[in-house]
Amino acid sequence: MGNTREQREAAQAWMELELRETWQRQVQSVGCMGASRYYILHEGKVSETDFPAWAAWVYTRQAERLICQTQVESVEVNTIFLAFNQGYVGGGPSILFETMVMGGPLGGQCAHYYMMDDALVGHEAMVERVKREISVHV
């Protein structure tokens, strides 16, 4: 387990949530498939962590995964921290952020980002795109 205070607290939360069996199953599957990479977000900074600390963070800090949320009429644009790499297996930077449009002409459109700064810029760009589409369809 990690040695930082944050990792120790996450591990303790993990045990308190009684998710040990899930962790044991994950360890067995990782032995066959190779190690996955898990990430947490703390004060705007991404750090890699192990599965128990990640799971504890995900289960206890769900609201912190929402980075931006913008409502444009009946359309919602959300940018979230994914908390694990959504990229393809085989290298490359980790895709950790996603902007998705819910509703309207662009419903289901999404964009992925490697870094928080790019995700924030991408969120605003998607909001502007949604506004343009809505004005065309009015």
Side-chain angles (χ1 to χ4, degrees):
M1 185 47 113
N3 55 12
T4 67
R5 180 183 61 80
E6 191 172 299
Q7 288 175 322
R8 287 191 304 272
E9 288 174 359
Q12 181 61 37
W14 172 262
M15 294 306 203
E16 290 172 6
L17 291 170
E18 298 182 283
L19 298 171
R20 189 180 308 180
E21 289 179 24
T22 303
W23 165 237
Q24 290 169 343
R25 283 193 302 275
Q26 176 71 11
V27 167
Q28 291 168 356
S29 68
V30 165
C32 300
M33 299 174 6
S36 297
R37 296 175 76 183
Y38 302 97
Y39 301 88
I40 60 174
L41 187 63
H42 180 69
E43 296 179 0
K45 292 187 170 77
V46 174
S47 60
E48 189 171 348
T49 192
D50 57 18
F51 182 76
W54 170 84
W57 183 86
V58 167
Y59 284 104
T60 60
R61 300 204 175 114
Q62 196 63 249
E64 291 177 38
R65 292 183 60 201
L66 181 63
I67 305 302
C68 292
Q69 183 175 43
T70 304
Q71 190 79 30
V72 181
E73 295 185 21
S74 64
V75 178
E76 192 171 287
V77 180
N78 291 323
T79 297
I80 63 167
F81 173 66
L82 295 165
F84 60 96
N85 183 11
Q86 293 288 313
Y88 296 106
V89 176
S94 297
I95 296 173
L96 298 175
F97 299 91
E98 176 182 79
T99 297
M100 179 167 277
V101 178
M102 290 173 266
L106 296 177
Q109 293 285 311
C110 65
H112 295 97
Y113 315 96
Y114 306 110
M115 298 179 352
M116 169 96 81
D117 291 342
D118 295 336
L120 294 170
V121 170
H123 179 89
E124 291 306 317
M126 189 69 81
V127 167
E128 291 305 314
R129 198 171 151 208
V130 166
K131 287 177 181 177
R132 284 192 304 274
E133 279 297 314
I134 287 174
S135 68
V136 167
H137 288 90
V138 172

